[in-house]
């Protein structure tokens, strides 16, 4: 039986009043960089909870990561319709003001700080629809998911991509996927994981090289994927992060928790936030040797900090 982690009370609110925060990145100075999807910004949360806007991105900035050049790379899903469900903010369909999907680069330091560049808007002539989550590898390239957009009568199919941060190369690696959301790499970079939102599945592939995967353990899923874990009942999945022990920590919607999946696929525990929120969307770690983790409770506009049960991973790049 999977039990809730008894240390839930240790989660403390770092910042409130955020407009659907996602994509947290723990910075060396103790602040946290994150996106506010509803606000259309990349924002910085200081240790004392003060929030400042780093860049105006428009659309729907989603997952974010620091690249080898120290810039922030952001998956922009193009925007959502927004709804209030009893005080909980909820994203909806593709909006009338949809700007299209894109990968954006944001300068963080120096005289050009805050400058935004649209790095990719298409792949092989096919427009990006709803880029969602991103992770850099040790070679300096990045994997990202495109969840697609939903409309009243139809939905896009999604894909897993690999791209270079200089804007020179983008490759569709796996297609089709059903609402691919969170993406992460094992500590040694030998596996790539993707969480599918609606189906509640986490897939894994062996990494054969940049922009190349091969079946993991003879997998027969999309692109030769192996099912790491399929969630029971109505549990939807959002973004994920991998800890120093190789556990896949995936934000679990509806349940309002972060679920911890061992490398062998066992669901070890679920860690709910103190104030129930069906839109718990992300977790990030402060780095190797640190047990500090940050969790976004997006529906309530909160950023939590906690001492996690395992240490973080040494990220390929950090700021």
């Amino acid at each position: 039986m999977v039990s809730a982690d008894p240390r839930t009370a240790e989660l403390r609110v770092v910042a409130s009043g955020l407009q659907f925060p996602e994509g947290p990145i723990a910075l060396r100075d103790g602040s946290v960089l994150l996106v506010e999807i509803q606000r259309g910004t990349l924002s910085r949360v200081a240790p004392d909870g003060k929030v400042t806007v780093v860049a105006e991105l428009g659309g729907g900035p989603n997952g974010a990561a620091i690249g080898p050049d120290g810039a922030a790379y952001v998956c922009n899903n193009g925007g959502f319709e927004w709804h209030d469900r009893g005080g909980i903010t909820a994203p909806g369909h593709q909006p009338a003001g949809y700007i299209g999907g894109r990968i954006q680069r944001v300068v963080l330091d120096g005289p050009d700080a805050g400058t935004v560049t649209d790095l990719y808007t298409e792949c092989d002539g096919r427009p990006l629809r709803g880029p969602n989550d991103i992770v850099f590898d040790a070679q300096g390239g990045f994997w990202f998911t495109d969840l697609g957009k939903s409309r009243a009568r139809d939905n896009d199919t999604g894909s897993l991509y690999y791209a270079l941060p200089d804007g020179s190369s983008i490759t569709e690696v796996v297609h089709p996927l059903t609402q691919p959301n969170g993406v992460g790499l094992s500590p040694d970079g030998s596996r790539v994981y993707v969480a599918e939102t609606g189906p509640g599945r986490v897939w894994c592939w062996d990494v054969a090289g940049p922009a190349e995967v091969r079946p993991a353990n003879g997998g027969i899923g999309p692109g030769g994927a192996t099912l790491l874990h399929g969630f029971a009942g109505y549990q939807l999945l959002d973004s994920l992060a991998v800890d120093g022990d190789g556990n896949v920590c995936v934000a679990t919607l509806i349940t309002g928790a972060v679920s911890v999946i061992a490398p062998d696929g066992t669901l070890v525990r679920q860690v709910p936030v103190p104030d129930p929120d069906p839109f718990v969307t992300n977790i990030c770690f402060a780095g190797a040797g640190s047990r500090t983790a940050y969790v976004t409770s997006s529906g309530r506009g909160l950023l939590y900090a906690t001492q996690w049960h395992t240490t973080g991973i040494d990220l390929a790049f950090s700021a």
Side-chain angles (χ1 to χ4, degrees), residues 135 137 142-144 159-162 171-177 183-186 189-194 203-219 221-226:
V135 63
D137 63 16
F142 59 91
W143 300 86
F144 75 94
S159 300
L160 173 65
Y161 290 91
Y162 186 89
T171 303
E172 185 180 63
V173 182
V174 179
H175 177 86
L177 290 166
V183 62
L185 292 166
S186 60
S190 66
R191 270 189 171 186
V192 60
Y193 299 99
V194 169
W203 297 108
C204 66
W205 299 261
D206 287 338
V207 175
E212 187 178 358
V213 297
R214 57 174 175 260
N217 301 322
T226 293

Side-chain angles (χ1 to χ4, degrees), residues 37-63:
I37 301 182
Q38 189 177 21
R39 193 180 188 186
T41 63
L42 181 67
S43 304
R44 187 189 301 265
V45 179
D48 64 1
K50 181 181 178 182
V51 180
T52 57
V53 172
V54 174
E56 300 278 354
L57 301 177
N62 217 135

Side-chain angles (χ1 to χ4, degrees), residues 136-202:
F136 275 87
D137 63 16
Q139 288 71 46
F142 59 91
W143 300 86
F144 75 94
T145 53
D146 189 328
L147 185 145
K149 304 301 287 185
S150 67
R151 293 159 294 276
R153 294 286 180 176
D154 66 284
N155 301 280
D156 298 320
T157 55
S159 300
L160 173 65
Y161 290 91
Y162 186 89
L164 297 181
D166 62 2
S168 66
S169 175
I170 180 172
T171 303
E172 185 180 63
V173 182
V174 179
H175 177 86
L177 290 166
T178 303
Q179 296 182 318
N181 195 316
V183 62
L185 292 166
S186 60
D188 63 1
S190 66
R191 270 189 171 186
V192 60
Y193 299 99
V194 169
E196 290 183 317
T197 297
R201 296 181 294 227
V202 179

